[in-house]
């Protein structure tokens, strides 16, 4: 799946953050497959050099590594178990980098479902804005299976200025919640001042 430093990757969810992550990967020269339910996002992705697919399963059929960046629990459930979802593809060794800011139990359910097809799900939320993601200036909180984290570290190094392995699955989300809380506290303090 690699050619020199070029490695195939998929991105499911091409919204503000997912689209920006895809831009960073494409700019770094990685062949990138994508899926989104919004046609306008698809057009932008294709114009930037991305490969359009017709379902999450099609993304997984083309790549050993994929990122999910989704807006809701329902979207994650559809990507995993819906029509054309990841469960319909037999891809042992698939690593899913789940970057969404969602409840840990929803991510845990996705992880358990995908374990049935021998896929590994990592909980890896990012700290930063979409503008920062476009230029590879995020911080990634990677959690889950350490061997899989190390295998996909090239993704974190492409999309972020730094990344940290923070522990067992779910600890990444906890770190993201803390980072968000601190950001809100600073904004509130600035407003008070």
């Amino acid at each position: 799946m690699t050619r020199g430093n070029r490695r195939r990757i998929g991105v499911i969810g091409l919204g503000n953050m997912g689209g920006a992550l895809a831009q960073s990967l494409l700019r770094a020269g990685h062949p990138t497959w994508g899926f989104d339910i919004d046609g306008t996002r698809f057009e932008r992705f294709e114009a930037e050099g991305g490969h359009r697919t017709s379902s999450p399963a099609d993304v997984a059929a083309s790549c050993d590594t994929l990122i999910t960046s989704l807006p809701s629990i329902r979207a994650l459930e559809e990507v995993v178990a819906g029509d054309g979802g990841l469960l319909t593809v037999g891809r042992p060794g698939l690593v899913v980098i789940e970057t969404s800011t969602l409840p840990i139990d929803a991510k845990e359910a996705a992880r358990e479902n995908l374990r049935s097809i021998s896929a590994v799900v990592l909980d890896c939320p990012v700290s930063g804005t979409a503008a920062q993601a476009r230029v590879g200036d995020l911080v990634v909180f990677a959690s889950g299976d350490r061997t899989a984290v190390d295998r996909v570290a090239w993704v974190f190094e492409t999309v972020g200025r730094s990344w940290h392995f923070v522990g067992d699955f779910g600890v990444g989300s906890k770190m993201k919640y803390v980072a968000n809380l601190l950001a809100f506290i600073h904004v509130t303090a600035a407003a008070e001042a």
Side-chain angles (χ1 to χ4, degrees):
M1 286 300 205
T2 64
R3 183 180 297 147
N5 286 334
R6 294 162 42 95
R7 300 177 186 176
R8 290 182 174 206
I9 185 155
V11 180
I12 298 174
L14 299 169
N16 288 338
M17 186 58 76
L21 293 170
Q23 283 179 336
S24 280
L25 292 159
L26 287 163
R27 189 175 52 258
H30 297 294
T32 305
W33 278 255
F35 176 76
D36 198 285
I37 58 173
D38 184 304
T40 303
R41 293 175 183 165
F42 254 149
E43 289 169 11
R44 194 166 43 242
F45 175 68
E46 283 185 300
E48 292 162 352
H51 302 276
R52 185 176 186 150
T53 65
S54 60
S55 70
D58 287 344
V59 177
S62 300
C63 310
D64 288 328
T65 305
L66 62 86
I67 295 170
T68 52
S69 180
L70 303 165
S72 68
I73 296 169
R74 180 75 180 135
L76 180 60
E77 290 170 347
E78 283 295 313
V79 163
V80 171
D83 187 31
L86 297 176
L87 284 176
T88 65
V89 88
R91 186 122 182 144
L94 175 70
V95 177
V96 179
I97 302 168
E98 215 306 297
T99 65
S100 315
T101 304
L102 295 172
I104 295 170
D105 60 347
K107 293 186 178 201
E108 186 65 50
R111 178 182 179 220
E112 289 305 311
N113 276 329
L114 289 171
R115 188 174 283 162
S116 70
I117 61 164
S118 298
V120 176
V121 178
L122 302 174
D123 174 39
C124 302
V126 298
S127 182
T129 65
Q132 288 174 290
R134 283 195 226 19
V135 297
D137 188 34
L138 298 171
V139 176
V140 181
F141 301 124
S143 66
D145 180 83
R146 183 61 197 251
T147 301
V149 166
D150 290 342
R151 190 172 125 203
V152 299
W154 65 272
V155 178
F156 309 143
E157 290 161 3
T158 301
V159 302
R161 71 176 180 275
S162 67
W163 68 276
H164 307 278
F165 177 71
V166 294
D168 293 339
F169 188 93
V171 176
S173 284
K174 291 175 184 176
M175 290 298 296
K176 173 65 184 275
Y177 303 155
V178 170
N180 282 357
L181 178 61
L182 288 172
F184 293 140
I185 289 169
H186 288 299
V187 168
T188 303
E192 279 294 315

